[in-house]
Amino acid sequence: MKPTCPSCQNKINSTDIKNTIKKGMFFEVECPYCQTWIRLNKTLEVLKKLGVSLLLITSLLNIFSIKSEYSLVFSTVGFVGIIIAIIITFFGKHETVK
Protein backbone atom coordinates (compact mmCIF):
# COMPACT_ATOMS: atom_id res chain seq x y z
CA MET A 1 0.00 0.00 0.00
CA LYS A 2 1.40 3.38 -1.01
CA PRO A 3 1.29 6.22 1.52
CA THR A 4 -0.90 9.18 0.67
CA CYS A 5 0.34 12.72 1.24
CA PRO A 6 -1.98 14.37 3.79
CA SER A 7 -1.42 17.74 2.12
CA CYS A 8 -1.98 17.11 -1.62
CA GLN A 9 -3.64 13.64 -1.39
CA ASN A 10 -1.30 12.11 -4.02
CA LYS A 11 -0.14 8.53 -3.59
CA ILE A 12 3.64 8.41 -3.13
CA ASN A 13 5.84 5.75 -4.73
CA SER A 14 8.94 4.89 -2.74
CA THR A 15 10.99 5.37 -5.93
CA ASP A 16 9.76 8.98 -6.24
CA ILE A 17 11.03 10.00 -2.78
CA LYS A 18 14.25 12.00 -3.07
CA ASN A 19 14.66 13.66 0.36
CA THR A 20 14.52 11.90 3.71
CA ILE A 21 15.41 12.90 7.27
CA LYS A 22 15.87 10.70 10.32
CA LYS A 23 15.11 12.57 13.56
CA GLY A 24 15.81 10.25 16.46
CA MET A 25 13.59 7.24 15.97
CA PHE A 26 11.28 9.08 13.57
CA PHE A 27 11.70 8.98 9.80
CA GLU A 28 10.41 11.84 7.62
CA VAL A 29 10.09 12.01 3.84
CA GLU A 30 9.38 14.88 1.47
CA CYS A 31 6.39 14.58 -0.84
CA PRO A 32 7.71 14.73 -4.43
CA TYR A 33 4.57 16.57 -5.56
CA CYS A 34 4.05 19.38 -3.02
CA GLN A 35 7.37 19.28 -1.06
CA THR A 36 5.56 18.80 2.27
CA TRP A 37 7.43 16.78 4.88
CA ILE A 38 5.39 13.83 6.16
CA ARG A 39 5.88 10.98 8.62
CA LEU A 40 3.97 8.13 10.15
CA ASN A 41 1.95 9.19 13.19
CA LYS A 42 4.27 9.26 16.25
CA THR A 43 2.23 6.76 18.26
CA LEU A 44 2.06 4.36 15.33
CA GLU A 45 5.82 4.70 14.75
CA VAL A 46 6.52 3.78 18.39
CA LEU A 47 4.15 0.79 18.18
CA LYS A 48 5.81 -0.34 14.94
CA LYS A 49 9.29 -0.19 16.52
CA LEU A 50 7.95 -2.04 19.58
CA GLY A 51 6.50 -4.79 17.36
CA VAL A 52 9.78 -5.30 15.50
CA SER A 53 11.69 -5.26 18.81
CA LEU A 54 9.39 -7.92 20.25
CA LEU A 55 10.08 -10.14 17.25
CA LEU A 56 13.83 -9.63 17.52
CA ILE A 57 14.01 -10.26 21.27
CA THR A 58 11.80 -13.34 21.24
CA SER A 59 13.61 -14.76 18.21
CA LEU A 60 16.96 -14.39 19.95
CA LEU A 61 15.59 -16.03 23.10
CA ASN A 62 14.36 -18.97 21.02
CA ILE A 63 17.62 -19.26 19.08
CA PHE A 64 19.73 -19.39 22.23
CA SER A 65 17.17 -21.67 23.95
CA ILE A 66 16.92 -19.43 26.98
CA LYS A 67 14.08 -20.77 29.11
CA SER A 68 13.19 -23.35 26.46
CA GLU A 69 10.00 -24.28 28.32
CA TYR A 70 8.69 -20.85 27.27
CA SER A 71 9.61 -21.16 23.59
CA LEU A 72 5.95 -21.36 22.51
CA VAL A 73 5.19 -18.18 24.45
CA PHE A 74 8.23 -16.43 22.92
CA SER A 75 7.16 -17.49 19.44
CA THR A 76 3.60 -16.26 20.00
CA VAL A 77 4.76 -12.89 21.34
CA GLY A 78 7.16 -12.50 18.40
CA PHE A 79 4.39 -13.35 15.94
CA VAL A 80 2.05 -10.79 17.52
CA GLY A 81 4.84 -8.20 17.42
CA ILE A 82 5.52 -8.63 13.73
CA ILE A 83 1.78 -8.62 12.89
CA ILE A 84 1.49 -5.25 14.69
CA ALA A 85 4.46 -3.89 12.72
CA ILE A 86 3.09 -5.14 9.38
CA ILE A 87 -0.40 -3.71 9.96
CA ILE A 88 1.01 -0.31 10.93
CA THR A 89 3.42 -0.31 7.99
CA PHE A 90 0.71 -0.97 5.41
CA PHE A 91 -2.31 0.75 6.97
CA GLY A 92 -0.84 3.47 9.24
CA LYS A 93 -1.86 7.09 8.77
CA HIS A 94 0.75 9.67 7.83
CA GLU A 95 0.79 13.23 9.10
CA THR A 96 2.29 16.51 7.95
CA VAL A 97 5.39 17.63 9.82
CA LYS A 98 5.21 21.26 10.78
Side-chain angles (χ1 to χ4, degrees):
M1 184 171 202
K2 297 176 187 175
T4 302
C5 176
S7 181
C8 67
Q9 304 303 318
N10 283 318
K11 295 218 181 268
I12 302 171
N13 272 333
S14 60
T15 56
D16 294 338
I17 296 171
K18 303 294 182 223
N19 297 322
T20 60
I21 296 175
K22 183 163 172 42
K23 291 183 177 178
M25 68 181 277
F26 301 108
F27 186 71
E28 299 174 3
V29 297
E30 186 178 29
C31 175
Y33 305 105
C34 67
Q35 284 68 45
T36 301
W37 287 91
I38 59 173
R39 70 168 174 232
L40 193 60
N41 181 291
K42 281 186 176 183
T43 305
L44 294 179
E45 187 72 31
V46 170
L47 287 173
K48 178 178 155 185
K49 303 271 187 209
L50 179 68
V52 171
S53 298
L54 279 175
L55 176 68
L56 177 64
I57 291 167
T58 55
S59 296
L60 289 173
L61 289 173
N62 276 335
I63 287 170
F64 294 116
S65 298
I66 297 173
K67 299 279 187 184
S68 60
E69 61 270 11
Y70 297 116
S71 65
L72 181 60
V73 173
F74 292 156
S75 297
T76 305
V77 170
F79 182 75
V80 168
I82 201 61
I83 292 298
I84 289 169
I86 288 172
I87 288 171
I88 290 172
T89 299
F90 290 115
F91 301 106
K93 299 292 181 192
H94 290 77
E95 63 186 7
T96 303
V97 179
K98 297 188 185 328

